[in-house]
Amino acid sequence: MFSKACEYGIRAAVYIALQSLDGRRVSVNEIAEEIDSPLAFTAKILQQLSKSKVIHSVKGPTGGFEIERTDMDHVKLSKIVHAIDGDEIFVGCGLGLKECNAQKPCPLHDKFVDIRNNLKNMLEQTSLYELATGLEVGLTYLRR
Amino acid sequence: MFSKACEYGIRAAVYIALQSLDGRRVSVNEIAEEIDSPLAFTAKILQQLSKSKVIHSVKGPTGGFEIERTDMDHVKLSKIVHAIDGDEIFVGCGLGLKECNAQKPCPLHDKFVDIRNNLKNMLEQTSLYELATGLEVGLTYLRR
DNA sequence: TTTAATTCGGATAAAATTGTCCTTTATTAT
DNA sequence: ATAATAAAGGACAATTTTATCCGAATTAAA
């Protein structure tokens, strides 16, 4: 569904949000450790998320990644997926046709649009804050 | 969502079904031409589909691929996706965790399960016959 | 002002996916 | 029987994705 990069990106963002709730800024090392992802690859993904303003980065000692409390509400998963995987999952044809729309649909078009709208709505409605609080309360997990 | 191989596989299977409705057996060459897919790669995918009994192949002159009328109803998209992409899309965690279930869920688990059940149901309910007849009537397209 | 901790950025490597080519095997028609 | 046609299968190549490594830039603390 999502690329590995995107999976790591979402997990990282949720972890950063969780720690930011406690006012803690976290390093790539800690993030990769806590979400069980490859360190250097995770660093690349965090750069992408930083450039696309999903997270905020601070260089130097005591630096790291953080997300401001107000941003946690505004940053939805759709923004992360878009930043890392692009819009193929939001607009592409399920059977890979270059052009596929209601006028000239592939055989799966209508059914696929339904599924995808569900996915799209879910991603657009789910904020980092919501996911981070689930973690905080101990209801969900980011590894294993 | 699906791999390229799977996209080609579904398109090929629908085309074979369509032609089989007319009693025509089709060659890889014709299939790749009609669904606009890379010839040799498509041949590989057809081998997979043949082995997993999604389609039937006949060697030699006048040979090619076909699907029997009764099979078109029984073969659902889920079978094709399973044969080519495996079961990751049906059972895997949305955030890539190795273990993720109701007991120890990832932050996205519940929402992801909903989406995936929609997808799963759609794939399990959609037969090749249904897709082929849409094509036959000229309502849908397999290329461009 | 130096040192050390941290992200950033570029180059490279490994693995997976996508794609091609060529030989073998089966089978039909001549 | 032989030739021709088509799928099957193996080896290989290209591309994309995943992943690593290292030096540069930034900045806080000593």
Side-chain angles (χ1 to χ4, degrees):
Chain A
M1 187 80 83
F2 307 128
S3 68
K4 278 284 163 196
C6 194
E7 292 174 355
Y8 297 148
I10 294 173
R11 275 151 61 191
V14 174
Y15 181 74
I16 294 167
L18 171 67
Q19 296 304 321
S20 289
L21 284 175
D22 289 349
R24 294 191 64 234
R25 198 180 276 163
V26 288
S27 69
V28 189
N29 292 276
E30 177 178 338
I31 294 167
E33 177 77 21
E34 291 298 324
I35 70 172
D36 191 27
S37 67
L39 175 60
F41 190 45
T42 303
K44 291 289 186 211
I45 297 159
L46 292 174
Q47 281 182 41
Q48 284 186 265
L49 293 181
S50 185
K51 277 187 199 164
S52 51
K53 311 283 185 192
V54 167
I55 59 183
H56 180 234
S57 77
V58 178
K59 282 183 171 184
T62 78
F65 298 91
E66 64 193 359
I67 304 180
E68 283 179 32
R69 177 65 188 79
T70 59
D71 288 338
M72 282 184 219
D73 277 323
H74 300 127
V75 174
K76 311 294 185 187
L77 286 189
S78 53
K79 186 168 182 180
I80 300 180
V81 173
H82 203 96
I84 299 176
D85 281 350
D87 65 358
E88 186 58 24
I89 199 172
F90 297 107
V91 305
C93 166
L95 298 188
L97 302 191
K98 287 175 209 94
E99 277 182 73
C100 174
N101 47 56
Q103 272 66 47
K104 214 172 176 189
C106 79
L108 209 57
H109 186 76
D110 290 352
K111 297 183 176 204
F112 194 76
V113 165
D114 281 348
I115 303 292
R116 199 171 53 195
N117 281 340
N118 292 337
L119 174 63
K120 209 174 144 193
N121 290 337
M122 185 272 274
L123 294 176
E124 283 170 356
Q125 285 162 17
T126 305
S127 70
L128 283 180
Y129 178 74
E130 175 182 351
L131 297 183
T133 49
L135 257 190
E136 193 178 33
V137 178
L139 290 174
T140 63
Y141 303 83
L142 278 180
R143 43 180 303 159
R144 292 236 83 190
Chain B
M1 185 80 84
F2 307 127
S3 68
K4 278 284 163 197
C6 194
E7 292 174 356
Y8 297 148
I10 294 173
R11 276 150 63 190
V14 174
Y15 181 73
I16 295 166
L18 172 67
Q19 295 304 321
S20 289
L21 284 174
D22 289 349
R24 293 190 65 235
R25 199 179 275 163
V26 286
S27 69
V28 188
N29 291 275
E30 175 177 338
I31 294 167
E33 177 76 21
E34 291 298 323
I35 70 172
D36 191 27
S37 66
L39 174 59
F41 190 46
T42 303
K44 293 288 185 209
I45 298 160
L46 292 174
Q47 281 182 42
Q48 285 187 265
L49 293 181
S50 185
K51 277 186 199 167
S52 51
K53 310 283 186 190
V54 167
I55 59 182
H56 180 234
S57 79
V58 178
K59 281 184 169 184
T62 78
F65 297 91
E66 64 193 0
I67 304 180
E68 285 180 30
R69 178 62 188 80
T70 59
D71 287 339
M72 281 183 218
D73 278 322
H74 300 126
V75 173
K76 311 296 186 187
L77 286 189
S78 53
K79 186 169 182 178
I80 299 180
V81 173
H82 204 97
I84 299 177
D85 281 350
D87 64 359
E88 187 58 25
I89 199 172
F90 297 106
V91 306
C93 167
L95 298 187
L97 302 192
K98 288 175 208 93
E99 276 182 73
C100 176
N101 47 58
Q103 271 66 47
K104 213 171 178 192
C106 79
L108 208 56
H109 185 77
D110 291 352
K111 296 183 175 201
F112 194 75
V113 164
D114 281 349
I115 304 291
R116 197 170 55 195
N117 282 340
N118 292 337
L119 174 63
K120 209 174 145 193
N121 290 337
M122 185 272 274
L123 294 176
E124 283 170 356
Q125 286 162 15
T126 306
S127 69
L128 283 180
Y129 178 75
E130 176 182 350
L131 298 183
T133 49
L135 258 189
E136 192 178 33
V137 177
L139 290 175
T140 63
Y141 303 82
L142 278 180
R143 43 180 304 158
R144 290 237 84 192

